[in-house]
Amino acid sequence: MSAPKIDWDFLLDAPLRIVIIIIGAIVLNMVMRLFIRRFSTAVAKGTVGSEKKADNSKFSSTVMESQRTGIEPTVIRERRAQRAKTVGRMLSSVATIIISVIAVLMVLDQLNFNIAPILASAGIVGVALAFGAQELVKDYLSGFFMVIEDQYGIGDTVDLGEAVGEVEDFGLRKTAVRDLTGTLWHVRNGEIMRVGNLSQGWARAVLEIPVNYSTSMDTYREITQTVTAEMAKDTQVASAMLELPEIAGVQSLSAEYRVIRTMIKTKPNLQWMVERAFRAELTNEFDRRGITIPIIQETVLRTLPRSTDSPDSTSEGDADADDQARATHVTQRTKDEGPSPLPSDDEIRSTTDEAGTDTSDGES
């Protein structure tokens, strides 16, 4: 018996091309994942290029950033690793989907399927997505670039416009921010026009201290040094301060006091704790030196309503006598003090009473 003939012409035609397409798609996907992995590693190291220094070297970018900002190197590494993981996952998924779709279309074409309707449908779907889901695409693209540029991350205190607070969740489509009152804001990344990160790198505690004119600037500098020494005794506050307090100078002047601006460079998210500690020690030092905080002098003028007696106990003659006395008082005050820009309550009441009396007499 002879062995069956193998149709080599058929096997070397469509099946071979299909196998080559599948193998090419797999190899291309592996190559793309390799480039994406290298790119994610660059993002994790804080630079788009490669980093020659080891991460534990004293000249590495992680250690230098830690020395500049005061953040622990482990926190910096964890944040960068989170960014790299998010970027790598998204790019790998997009590359796999695109390569797989192209490979499937090429295989269908080799099997003599008419892919023209598929391409036409894909074009229609693309146009529909361009008009209907453009906001969704905008959200994902904005979130992608936010991750790459490291604009903010989970745990940062940010200002996104109406939403100001701590970032609890950060994805490619939306960001969840918890404000000071406990409200959780869900903000789409495509709607974020600007980001104010209060916790990135370092922060600054800015204090506006009112000081009376009897306290000189030299005395205030001496008080600031004493307050700084007291704050250094608290290890938590001392570790939060990156630099000594800086006196910027007189910020504003008023009749009662002058406002002196004092600034302290701190670790991120700890500027408010340093501000409270500085104000508490400054108040104690003012009390020890007998310096009082200036108070704005105010004069409050109130107009009380005129007390009226009951109709039974007040006669018409007494009312006329009171009106005449008020008129005489107003005339004498006008001669002594000059014209008044606004009438008093008694003048308005007396004018109203006289107008009502004249009207009733005319009608009778």
Side-chain angles (χ1 to χ4, degrees), residues 56-81:
N56 55 0
S57 173
K58 64 178 181 179
F59 298 107
S60 66
S61 62
T62 303
V63 176
M64 294 177 66
E65 183 178 353
S66 176
Q67 294 175 354
R68 185 180 69 254
T69 61
I71 306 175
E72 295 296 331
T74 54
V75 177
I76 298 176
R77 295 191 190 97
E78 289 177 0
R79 178 161 178 162
R80 287 178 177 174

Side-chain angles (χ1 to χ4, degrees), residues 66 300 303:
S66 176
V300 180
T303 303

Side-chain angles (χ1 to χ4, degrees), residues 328-344:
T328 305
H329 173 69
V330 171
T331 304
Q332 184 65 27
R333 187 193 64 183
T334 303
K335 292 180 180 180
D336 296 340
E337 302 178 0
S340 176
L342 294 175
S344 63

Side-chain angles (χ1 to χ4, degrees), residues 97-174:
I97 291 173
I98 294 176
I99 294 174
S100 300
V101 170
I102 295 175
V104 169
L105 292 177
M106 294 177 66
V107 169
L108 292 177
D109 183 52
Q110 294 299 322
L111 295 175
N112 295 326
F113 281 94
N114 187 11
I115 62 174
I118 299 177
L119 295 178
S121 302
I124 296 174
V125 171
V127 173
L129 289 177
F131 285 97
Q134 56 182 346
E135 297 295 335
L136 184 62
V137 175
K138 182 180 178 181
D139 294 340
Y140 276 98
L141 287 178
S142 300
F144 175 73
F145 285 105
M146 286 177 182
V147 173
I148 291 181
E149 297 170 359
D150 192 22
Q151 296 184 8
Y152 57 85
I154 296 177
D156 289 352
T157 302
V158 296
D159 182 357
L160 304 182
E162 294 184 359
V164 181
E166 182 180 352
V167 179
E168 287 196 356
D169 187 19
F170 175 44
L172 294 177
R173 193 184 70 85
K174 69 179 181 65

